[in-house]
Amino acid sequence: MKINIRKEIAGLSDEIYYYRRHFHKYPELSFKEFKTAETISKYLKDFGIKHKKNVGKTGVVGEIYFGPGPTIALRADMDALPMQEKGSLDYKSRNDGVMHACGHDGHMAILLGVAKSLSKNNRIKKGTVKFIFQPAEEGGGGARYMIEDGCLNGVDEIYGLHLWNYQKYGEVGLKTGAVMASADIFEIEILGKGGHGAAPQGTVDAIVVASHLINILQTVVSRNTDPLENTVLTIGKIKGGENFNVISDNVIMHGTTRAYSEKNRQMIKKRMEEIIEGISNSFNAIIKIKYKEGYPPTVNHDLPVQNVLLAAKDIVGDQAKSPYLSMGGEDFSYYLQKIPGCFFFVGSAPEKNDILSTPHHCSHFDIDERSLLVGASVYLNLIENSFK
Ligand code: NI
């Protein structure tokens, strides 16, 4: 299938690649995107686009007014991850221990490319486009700070994309309904009663309690979840015990839960509390849980999905299709709780590698840069179609 990159975008390809490589070289962590914001601001100024800085702490919001009509927002996240880049790219991270390993550098490059293209567009006569550069997607919930600072005021629809190494270059993944999971975290503390390892009578062994608890918690996924739906409950960290011959009086576990619907998310939380109460009674242990809700599920709205589908078909034809889904979380969900919109995926797997060999958040993460042109072309179509 031939991929029809919009000629306005193809003409900006060198710049778009340059933006991405620049951001890649100088990654910054959540809410510390100071230089990144400066760079974005400088470019928007060059394009003649009015914009506000320090929105949602380190975010930037630009705006082009074409005429009376709807307002559409496009969002790019700005932050990198606390990890060391490996590999030998010549635009490898210059900031030790910080890396754009998720593709947010590319998201910003796409949005700048679209902004530049639209700043010169004199065919559009109505509507307003907002360019939302948002900090702290990687756990900081930057979207909430942007919303609190009014970035959605007057906005009718919002769109966001993720470069997606689980799909090939030339594919655009989209669907109605949930596309990313809720991502909650919890800490469980088991308080038992210690003693001599050779004299368990009269003790409450926190390690034995923990082993039962872990097993039964797994039934939330295997027995309480509708098998046609998806949930995850992971305990990723466990700490307890002092010595081989000492019965432990304390175990702490940390984990995360994932769900595609608010219904399942609440079900998991409730079942965890019930199971903890049951195990606590069975073993006469005190078990405390601190459950913290993170990002909600990312749930697309029907009409905006149709708009992206129409925009994407012109670019990639029948390669606009169902996405490769994951149980990852995404704070774009907060925008979609407020106004209609669509979050979609742009295939970016490096050509030379198999899909899955350069996953997101790995230390040798890289993309097929041509995917930036696909993303920008879809956005450009989307805006032109919306303002016809
Ligand atoms: Ni990401």
Side-chain angles (χ1 to χ4, degrees), residues 133-208:
F133 293 90
Q134 175 219 300
E137 192 285 323
E138 300 287 2
R144 280 192 310 178
Y145 294 84
M146 297 298 285
I147 294 169
E148 274 169 25
D149 274 1
C151 82
L152 292 184
N153 291 351
V155 177
D156 296 293
E157 286 170 12
I158 184 161
Y159 295 88
L161 61 77
H162 210 299
L163 293 166
W164 210 226
N165 275 18
Y166 306 114
Q167 292 190 259
K168 285 188 254 177
Y169 164 68
E171 291 182 9
V172 173
L174 76 168
K175 73 179 273 294
T176 56
V179 290
M180 300 289 278
S182 58
D184 297 343
I185 57 174
F186 61 83
E187 179 192 293
I188 294 172
E189 184 175 19
I190 300 167
L191 297 163
K193 195 172 160 217
H196 196 294
Q201 67 277 24
T203 70
V204 177
D205 187 339
I207 287 179
V208 172

Side-chain angles (χ1 to χ4, degrees), residues 342-356:
C342 171
F343 188 73
F344 61 101
F345 303 89
V346 175
S348 55
E351 202 174 23
K352 57 186 183 300
N353 297 329
D354 292 340
I355 300 251
L356 301 182

Side-chain angles (χ1 to χ4, degrees), residues 77 102-104 107 137-138 162-164 180 329-330 360-361:
D77 38 15
C102 196
H104 301 185
H107 302 165
E137 192 285 323
E138 300 287 2
H162 210 299
L163 293 166
W164 210 226
M180 300 289 278
E330 176 41 79
H360 297 260
H361 296 207

